[in-house]
Coordinates of all heavy atoms in Angstrom, one line a residue:
M1 N 45.4 168.6 108.6 CA 45.1 167.9 107.5 C 44.5 168.8 106.4 O 43.8 169.7 106.7 CB 44.1 166.8 107.8 CG 43.6 166.0 106.7 SD 42.6 164.6 107.1 CE 43.9 163.3 107.1
T2 N 44.9 168.6 105.2 CA 44.4 169.4 104.1 C 43.6 168.5 103.1 O 43.9 167.4 102.8 CB 45.6 170.0 103.3 OG1 46.3 170.8 104.2 CG2 45.1 170.8 102.2
K3 N 42.4 169.0 102.7 CA 41.6 168.3 101.7 C 41.5 169.2 100.4 O 41.5 170.4 100.5 CB 40.2 168.2 102.3 CG 40.1 167.3 103.5 CD 39.0 166.4 103.4 CE 38.9 165.6 104.7 NZ 39.1 164.2 104.6
K4 N 41.5 168.5 99.3 CA 41.4 169.2 98.1 C 39.9 169.2 97.7 O 39.2 168.2 97.8 CB 42.2 168.4 97.0 CG 42.3 169.1 95.7 CD 43.3 168.4 94.8 CE 43.7 169.3 93.7 NZ 44.9 170.0 93.9
V5 N 39.4 170.4 97.4 CA 38.0 170.6 97.0 C 38.0 171.4 95.7 O 38.9 172.1 95.4 CB 37.2 171.3 98.1 CG1 37.2 170.5 99.3 CG2 37.7 172.7 98.4
T6 N 36.9 171.2 95.0 CA 36.7 172.0 93.8 C 35.6 173.1 94.1 O 34.5 172.8 94.6 CB 36.1 171.1 92.7 OG1 37.1 170.1 92.4 CG2 35.9 171.9 91.4
L7 N 36.0 174.3 93.8 CA 35.1 175.4 94.1 C 34.9 176.2 92.8 O 35.9 176.2 91.9 CB 35.7 176.4 95.2 CG 35.9 175.7 96.5 CD1 36.7 176.7 97.4 CD2 34.6 175.4 97.2
S8 N 33.8 176.9 92.6 CA 33.6 177.7 91.4 C 33.4 179.1 91.9 O 32.6 179.4 92.8 CB 32.4 177.2 90.7 OG 32.6 175.8 90.3
F9 N 34.1 180.0 91.2 CA 33.9 181.5 91.4 C 33.8 182.2 90.1 O 34.3 181.8 89.1 CB 35.2 182.0 92.2 CG 35.4 181.4 93.5 CD1 36.3 180.3 93.7 CD2 34.8 181.9 94.6 CE1 36.5 179.8 95.0 CE2 35.0 181.4 95.9 CZ 35.8 180.3 96.1
P10 N 33.2 183.4 90.1 CA 33.1 184.2 88.9 C 34.6 184.6 88.6 O 35.4 184.7 89.4 CB 32.3 185.4 89.3 CG 31.5 185.0 90.5 CD 32.4 184.0 91.2
D11 N 34.8 184.8 87.3 CA 36.2 185.2 86.8 C 36.7 186.4 87.5 O 37.9 186.4 87.9 CB 36.1 185.5 85.3 CG 35.9 184.2 84.5 OD1 36.1 183.1 85.0 OD2 35.5 184.3 83.3
D12 N 35.9 187.4 87.7 CA 36.4 188.6 88.3 C 36.8 188.4 89.8 O 37.8 189.0 90.3 CB 35.4 189.8 88.2 CG 34.1 189.5 88.8 OD1 33.7 188.3 88.9 OD2 33.4 190.5 89.2
T13 N 36.1 187.5 90.5 CA 36.5 187.2 91.9 C 37.8 186.5 91.9 O 38.7 186.8 92.7 CB 35.4 186.3 92.5 OG1 34.1 186.9 92.5 CG2 35.8 185.9 93.9
I14 N 38.0 185.5 91.0 CA 39.3 184.8 91.0 C 40.4 185.8 90.6 O 41.5 185.7 91.2 CB 39.2 183.6 90.0 CG1 38.3 182.6 90.5 CG2 40.6 183.1 89.7 CD1 38.8 181.9 91.8
E15 N 40.2 186.6 89.7 CA 41.3 187.6 89.3 C 41.7 188.5 90.5 O 42.8 188.8 90.7 CB 40.9 188.4 88.1 CG 40.9 187.5 86.8 CD 42.2 186.7 86.6 OE1 43.3 187.3 86.7 OE2 42.1 185.5 86.4
E16 N 40.7 189.0 91.2 CA 40.9 189.9 92.3 C 41.7 189.1 93.4 O 42.6 189.5 94.0 CB 39.6 190.4 92.9 CG 39.0 191.5 92.1 CD 37.8 192.1 92.7 OE1 37.6 191.9 93.9 OE2 37.0 192.6 91.9
A17 N 41.2 187.8 93.7 CA 41.9 187.0 94.7 C 43.3 186.7 94.3 O 44.2 186.8 95.1 CB 41.1 185.7 94.8
R18 N 43.6 186.5 93.0 CA 44.9 186.2 92.5 C 45.8 187.4 92.8 O 47.0 187.3 93.2 CB 45.0 185.8 91.1 CG 44.5 184.4 90.8 CD 44.6 184.2 89.3 NE 43.7 183.1 88.9 CZ 44.0 181.9 88.7 NH1 45.2 181.5 88.8 NH2 43.1 181.0 88.4
R19 N 45.3 188.6 92.5 CA 46.1 189.9 92.7 C 46.4 190.1 94.2 O 47.5 190.4 94.5 CB 45.3 191.1 92.1 CG 45.4 191.2 90.6 CD 44.9 192.6 90.2 NE 43.5 192.9 90.6 CZ 42.5 192.6 89.8 NH1 42.6 191.9 88.7 NH2 41.3 192.9 90.2
F20 N 45.4 189.8 95.0 CA 45.6 190.0 96.5 C 46.6 188.9 96.9 O 47.5 189.2 97.8 CB 44.3 189.9 97.2 CG 43.4 191.1 97.1 CD1 42.1 191.0 96.7 CD2 43.9 192.4 97.4 CE1 41.3 192.1 96.6 CE2 43.1 193.5 97.2 CZ 41.8 193.4 96.9
A21 N 46.5 187.7 96.5 CA 47.4 186.7 96.9 C 48.8 187.0 96.5 O 49.8 186.9 97.3 CB 47.0 185.3 96.3
E22 N 49.0 187.5 95.2 CA 50.3 187.9 94.8 C 50.9 189.0 95.6 O 52.0 189.0 96.0 CB 50.3 188.2 93.3 CG 51.6 188.5 92.7 CD 51.6 188.8 91.2 OE1 50.8 188.1 90.5 OE2 52.3 189.7 90.8
R23 N 50.0 190.0 95.9 CA 50.5 191.1 96.7 C 50.9 190.7 98.0 O 51.9 191.2 98.6 CB 49.3 192.1 96.8 CG 49.6 193.3 97.7 CD 48.4 194.0 98.3 NE 47.7 193.1 99.2 CZ 46.5 193.3 99.7 NH1 45.8 194.3 99.3 NH2 46.0 192.4 100.5
D24 N 50.2 189.7 98.6 CA 50.6 189.2 100.0 C 51.6 188.1 100.0 O 52.0 187.6 101.0 CB 49.3 188.7 100.7 CG 48.3 189.8 100.9 OD1 48.7 191.0 100.8 OD2 47.1 189.5 101.2
G25 N 52.1 187.8 98.8 CA 53.1 186.7 98.7 C 52.6 185.3 99.0 O 53.4 184.5 99.6
L26 N 51.4 185.1 98.7 CA 50.8 183.8 99.0 C 50.3 183.1 97.8 O 50.1 183.8 96.7 CB 49.5 184.0 99.9 CG 49.8 184.6 101.3 CD1 48.4 185.0 102.0 CD2 50.6 183.7 102.2
T27 N 50.1 181.8 97.8 CA 49.5 181.1 96.7 C 48.0 181.5 96.8 O 47.5 181.9 97.8 CB 49.6 179.6 96.9 OG1 48.9 179.2 98.1 CG2 51.1 179.2 96.9
L28 N 47.3 181.3 95.7 CA 45.9 181.5 95.6 C 45.2 180.7 96.7 O 44.3 181.2 97.4 CB 45.3 181.3 94.3 CG 43.8 181.4 94.1 CD1 43.4 182.8 94.4 CD2 43.4 181.0 92.7
S29 N 45.6 179.4 96.8 CA 45.0 178.5 97.8 C 45.2 179.0 99.2 O 44.2 179.0 100.0 CB 45.6 177.1 97.6 OG 44.9 176.2 98.3
A30 N 46.4 179.4 99.5 CA 46.7 179.9 100.9 C 45.9 181.2 101.2 O 45.4 181.4 102.3 CB 48.2 180.2 101.1
W31 N 45.8 182.1 100.2 CA 45.1 183.3 100.3 C 43.6 183.1 100.6 O 42.9 183.7 101.4 CB 45.3 184.3 99.1 CG 44.7 185.6 99.4 CD1 45.4 186.7 100.0 CD2 43.4 186.1 99.2 NE1 44.6 187.8 100.1 CE2 43.4 187.5 99.6 CE3 42.3 185.6 98.6 CZ2 42.2 188.2 99.5 CZ3 41.1 186.3 98.5 CH2 41.1 187.6 99.0
M32 N 43.0 182.1 99.8 CA 41.6 181.8 99.9 C 41.3 181.2 101.3 O 40.3 181.4 101.9 CB 41.1 180.9 98.8 CG 41.2 181.5 97.4 SD 40.0 182.8 97.3 CE 38.6 182.0 96.5
D33 N 42.3 180.3 101.8 CA 42.2 179.7 103.1 C 42.1 180.8 104.2 O 41.3 180.8 105.1 CB 43.3 178.8 103.3 CG 43.3 178.1 104.7 OD1 42.3 177.4 105.0 OD2 44.2 178.4 105.5
Q34 N 43.1 181.8 104.1 CA 43.1 182.9 105.0 C 41.8 183.7 105.0 O 41.3 184.1 106.0 CB 44.3 183.7 104.7 CG 44.5 184.9 105.7 CD 45.8 185.7 105.3 OE1 46.8 185.2 104.9 NE2 45.7 187.0 105.5
A35 N 41.3 184.0 103.8 CA 40.1 184.8 103.7 C 38.9 184.1 104.3 O 38.1 184.7 105.0 CB 39.9 185.1 102.2
A36 N 38.8 182.8 104.1 CA 37.7 182.0 104.6 C 37.8 181.9 106.1 O 36.8 182.1 106.8 CB 37.7 180.6 104.0
R37 N 39.0 181.8 106.7 CA 39.2 181.7 108.1 C 38.8 183.1 108.7 O 38.2 183.2 109.8 CB 40.6 181.4 108.5 CG 41.0 180.0 108.3 CD 42.5 179.7 108.5 NE 42.8 178.4 108.2 CZ 42.8 177.4 109.1 NH1 42.3 177.6 110.3 NH2 43.1 176.1 108.7
E38 N 39.3 184.2 108.1 CA 38.9 185.5 108.6 C 37.4 185.7 108.6 O 36.9 186.3 109.6 CB 39.7 186.6 107.8 CG 41.2 186.6 108.1 CD 41.9 187.6 107.2 OE1 41.3 188.3 106.4 OE2 43.2 187.6 107.3
K39 N 36.8 185.3 107.6 CA 35.3 185.5 107.5 C 34.6 184.7 108.6 O 33.7 185.1 109.3 CB 34.8 185.0 106.1 CG 33.3 184.9 105.9 CD 32.6 186.3 106.0 CE 31.2 186.1 105.7 NZ 30.4 187.3 106.1
A40 N 35.1 183.4 108.8 CA 34.5 182.6 109.9 C 34.7 183.3 111.2 O 33.8 183.3 112.1 CB 35.2 181.2 109.8
L41 N 35.9 183.8 111.5 CA 36.2 184.5 112.8 C 35.3 185.7 112.9 O 34.7 186.0 114.0 CB 37.6 184.9 112.9 CG 38.6 183.7 113.2 CD1 40.0 184.2 113.2 CD2 38.3 183.1 114.6
R42 N 35.1 186.5 111.9 CA 34.2 187.6 112.0 C 32.8 187.2 112.3 O 32.1 187.8 113.1 CB 34.2 188.4 110.6 CG 35.4 189.3 110.5 CD 35.2 190.3 109.3 NE 34.9 189.7 108.0 CZ 35.8 189.2 107.2 NH1 37.1 189.3 107.5 NH2 35.5 188.7 106.0
E43 N 32.3 186.1 111.7 CA 31.0 185.6 112.1 C 30.9 185.2 113.5 O 29.9 185.5 114.2 CB 30.7 184.4 111.2 CG 30.5 184.7 109.7 CD 29.2 185.4 109.4 OE1 28.2 185.2 110.0 OE2 29.3 186.2 108.4
V44 N 31.9 184.5 114.0 CA 31.9 184.1 115.4 C 31.9 185.3 116.4 O 31.1 185.3 117.3 CB 33.1 183.1 115.7 CG1 33.3 182.9 117.2 CG2 33.0 181.8 115.0
F45 N 32.8 186.2 116.1 CA 32.9 187.4 116.9 C 31.6 188.2 116.9 O 31.1 188.8 117.9 CB 34.1 188.3 116.5 CG 35.4 187.7 116.9 CD1 36.4 187.7 116.1 CD2 35.6 187.1 118.2 CE1 37.7 187.2 116.4 CE2 36.8 186.6 118.6 CZ 37.8 186.6 117.7
A46 N 31.0 188.3 115.7 CA 29.7 189.1 115.6 C 28.6 188.4 116.4 O 27.8 189.0 117.1 CB 29.3 189.2 114.1
A47 N 28.6 187.0 116.3 CA 27.6 186.3 117.1 C 27.8 186.4 118.6 O 26.8 186.6 119.4 CB 27.6 184.8 116.7
H48 N 29.1 186.5 119.0 CA 29.4 186.6 120.4 C 28.9 188.0 120.9 O 28.3 188.2 121.9 CB 30.9 186.5 120.6 CG 31.3 186.7 122.0 ND1 31.0 185.9 123.1 CD2 32.0 187.8 122.6 CE1 31.4 186.4 124.2 NE2 32.0 187.6 123.9
A49 N 29.3 189.0 120.1 CA 28.9 190.4 120.4 C 27.4 190.6 120.5 O 26.9 191.2 121.4 CB 29.5 191.4 119.4
A50 N 26.7 189.9 119.6 CA 25.2 190.0 119.7 C 24.7 189.3 120.9 O 23.7 189.8 121.6 CB 24.6 189.3 118.4
A51 N 25.3 188.2 121.3 CA 24.9 187.4 122.5 C 25.1 188.3 123.8 O 24.3 188.4 124.7 CB 25.6 186.1 122.6
V52 N 26.3 188.9 123.8 CA 26.6 189.8 124.9 C 25.6 191.0 125.0 O 25.1 191.3 126.1 CB 28.1 190.3 124.8 CG1 28.3 191.5 125.8 CG2 29.1 189.2 125.1
Q53 N 25.3 191.5 123.9 CA 24.3 192.6 123.9 C 23.0 192.2 124.3 O 22.3 192.8 125.1 CB 24.3 193.2 122.5 CG 23.5 194.5 122.4 CD 23.5 195.1 121.0 OE1 23.8 194.5 120.0 NE2 23.2 196.4 121.0
R54 N 22.5 191.0 123.8 CA 21.2 190.5 124.2 C 21.2 190.2 125.7 O 20.1 190.3 126.4 CB 20.9 189.2 123.4 CG 20.4 189.4 122.1 CD 19.8 188.2 121.4 NE 20.7 187.0 121.5 CZ 21.7 186.7 120.7 NH1 21.9 187.4 119.7 NH2 22.4 185.6 120.9
A55 N 22.3 189.8 126.3 CA 22.4 189.5 127.7 C 22.3 190.7 128.6 O 22.2 190.7 129.8 CB 23.6 188.6 128.0
G56 N 22.5 191.9 127.9 CA 22.4 193.1 128.6 C 23.7 193.6 129.3 O 23.7 194.4 130.2
F57 N 24.8 192.9 128.9 CA 26.1 193.3 129.5 C 26.6 194.6 128.9 O 26.5 194.8 127.7 CB 27.2 192.2 129.3 CG 26.9 190.9 130.0 CD1 26.8 189.8 129.3 CD2 26.7 190.9 131.3 CE1 26.5 188.6 129.9 CE2 26.5 189.7 132.0 CZ 26.4 188.5 131.3
D58 N 27.1 195.5 129.7 CA 27.7 196.8 129.2 C 29.2 196.7 129.4 O 29.6 197.1 130.5 CB 27.0 198.0 129.9 CG 27.5 199.3 129.2 OD1 28.4 199.3 128.4 OD2 26.9 200.3 129.6
L59 N 29.9 196.1 128.5 CA 31.3 195.8 128.6 C 32.1 197.1 128.7 O 33.1 197.2 129.5 CB 31.8 195.0 127.5 CG 31.2 193.6 127.4 CD1 31.8 192.8 126.2 CD2 31.4 192.8 128.7
E60 N 31.7 198.2 128.0 CA 32.4 199.5 128.1 C 32.2 200.0 129.5 O 33.2 200.5 130.1 CB 31.8 200.4 127.1 CG 32.6 201.7 127.0 CD 32.2 202.6 125.9 OE1 31.3 202.3 125.1 OE2 32.7 203.7 125.8
A61 N 31.0 200.0 130.1 CA 30.8 200.5 131.4 C 31.6 199.7 132.4 O 32.2 200.3 133.4 CB 29.4 200.5 131.8
A62 N 31.7 198.4 132.3 CA 32.5 197.6 133.2 C 33.9 197.9 133.1 O 34.6 197.9 134.1 CB 32.2 196.1 132.9
A63 N 34.4 198.1 131.9 CA 35.9 198.4 131.7 C 36.2 199.8 132.3 O 37.2 199.9 133.0 CB 36.2 198.4 130.2
L64 N 35.3 200.7 132.1 CA 35.5 202.1 132.8 C 35.5 202.0 134.3 O 36.3 202.6 135.0 CB 34.5 203.1 132.2 CG 34.6 203.4 130.8 CD1 33.4 204.3 130.3 CD2 35.9 204.2 130.5
A65 N 34.6 201.2 134.8 CA 34.5 201.0 136.3 C 35.8 200.3 136.8 O 36.3 200.7 137.8 CB 33.3 200.1 136.6
D66 N 36.3 199.3 136.0 CA 37.6 198.7 136.4 C 38.7 199.7 136.4 O 39.6 199.7 137.3 CB 37.9 197.6 135.4 CG 37.0 196.3 135.6 OD1 36.3 196.3 136.7 OD2 37.1 195.4 134.8
E67 N 38.8 200.6 135.4 CA 39.8 201.6 135.4 C 39.7 202.5 136.6 O 40.7 202.9 137.2 CB 39.7 202.4 134.1 CG 40.3 201.9 132.9 CD 40.3 202.8 131.7 OE1 40.2 204.1 131.9 OE2 40.3 202.3 130.6
R68 N 38.5 202.9 136.9 CA 38.3 203.8 138.1 C 38.8 203.1 139.4 O 39.4 203.7 140.2 CB 36.9 204.3 138.2 CG 36.5 205.3 137.2 CD 35.1 205.9 137.5 NE 34.0 204.9 137.5 CZ 33.4 204.6 136.4 NH1 33.7 205.1 135.2 NH2 32.4 203.6 136.5
E69 N 38.5 201.8 139.5 CA 38.9 201.1 140.7 C 40.4 200.9 140.8 O 41.0 201.1 141.8 CB 38.2 199.7 140.7 CG 38.4 198.9 141.9 CD 37.7 197.6 142.0 OE1 36.6 197.5 141.3 OE2 38.1 196.7 142.6
V70 N 41.0 200.7 139.7 CA 42.5 200.6 139.6 C 43.1 201.9 140.0 O 44.0 202.0 140.8 CB 43.0 200.1 138.3 CG1 44.5 200.3 138.1 CG2 42.6 198.7 138.0
A71 N 42.6 203.0 139.5 CA 43.1 204.3 139.8 C 42.9 204.6 141.3 O 43.8 205.2 142.0 CB 42.3 205.4 139.0
M72 N 41.8 204.2 141.9 CA 41.5 204.5 143.3 C 42.5 203.6 144.2 O 43.1 204.1 145.2 CB 40.1 204.1 143.7 CG 39.1 205.1 143.2 SD 37.3 204.8 143.7 CE 37.3 203.1 144.3
V73 N 42.8 202.4 143.8 CA 43.7 201.6 144.5 C 45.1 202.1 144.4 O 45.8 202.2 145.4 CB 43.6 200.1 144.1 CG1 44.8 199.3 144.6 CG2 42.3 199.5 144.4
D74 N 45.5 202.5 143.2 CA 46.8 203.1 143.0 C 47.0 204.3 143.9 O 48.0 204.6 144.5 CB 47.1 203.5 141.5 CG 47.4 202.3 140.7 OD1 47.7 201.2 141.3 OD2 47.4 202.4 139.5
A75 N 46.0 205.2 143.9 CA 46.0 206.4 144.7 C 46.2 206.1 146.2 O 47.0 206.7 146.9 CB 44.8 207.3 144.4
A76 N 45.4 205.2 146.6 CA 45.5 204.8 148.0 C 46.8 204.2 148.4 O 47.4 204.5 149.5 CB 44.4 203.8 148.4
I77 N 47.4 203.4 147.5 CA 48.7 202.8 147.8 C 49.8 203.8 147.7 O 50.7 203.9 148.6 CB 49.0 201.6 146.9 CG1 48.0 200.4 147.2 CG2 50.4 201.1 147.0 CD1 48.0 199.3 146.2
F78 N 49.9 204.5 146.7 CA 51.0 205.4 146.4 C 50.9 206.7 147.3 O 52.0 207.3 147.5 CB 51.2 205.7 144.9 CG 51.5 204.4 144.2 CD1 50.7 203.9 143.2 CD2 52.7 203.7 144.5 CE1 51.0 202.7 142.5 CE2 53.1 202.6 143.8 CZ 52.2 202.1 142.8
R79 N 49.8 207.1 147.7 CA 49.7 208.3 148.5 C 50.1 207.9 150.0 O 50.6 208.7 150.7 CB 48.3 208.9 148.5 CG 48.1 209.9 147.5 CD 46.8 210.7 147.7 NE 45.9 210.1 146.7 CZ 44.6 210.2 146.9 NH1 44.0 210.8 147.9 NH2 43.8 209.7 146.0
A80 N 49.8 206.7 150.3 CA 50.2 206.2 151.7 C 51.7 206.0 151.8 O 52.2 206.0 152.9 CB 49.4 205.0 152.0
A81 N 52.4 205.8 150.8 CA 53.8 205.4 150.8 C 54.7 206.6 151.2 O 54.5 207.7 151.3 CB 54.2 204.8 149.5

């Protein structure tokens, strides 16, 4: 569903948005929708990353440990063959 809303932006913001929309082959409305969605996703991902950090998870260390485990299993399977 689409709703029509009235928004106000400074002239320079609208002109820049129009240029980017034209460059991307989008209407101004479609470009603004995309920009708003991208901003919302960045906010969600940033909040998630902050929560993971506060919880003390070390995702990089876990990923490296997983890689080492896969390598050990591969070595065990393929050396035995």
Side-chain angles (χ1 to χ4, degrees):
M1 176 170 264
T2 302
K3 297 225 186 245
K4 191 169 191 98
V5 297
T6 301
L7 302 170
S8 298
F9 296 96
D11 290 341
D12 58 334
T13 300
I14 290 296
E15 288 310 310
E16 286 181 23
R18 283 181 207 259
R19 280 195 301 275
F20 287 127
E22 186 176 320
R23 178 202 66 192
D24 294 346
L26 299 170
T27 64
L28 177 60
S29 191
W31 191 88
M32 295 294 264
D33 178 63
Q34 181 179 325
R37 286 174 184 271
E38 288 174 3
K39 172 66 173 165
L41 284 174
R42 281 193 303 274
E43 293 286 330
V44 168
F45 288 135
H48 176 72
V52 167
Q53 188 176 23
R54 281 192 309 274
F57 296 122
D58 188 347
L59 298 179
E60 185 175 359
L64 291 171
D66 287 348
E67 275 187 26
R68 286 190 299 273
E69 188 174 332
V70 167
M72 288 181 348
V73 170
D74 282 349
I77 291 172
F78 293 116
R79 269 194 258 158

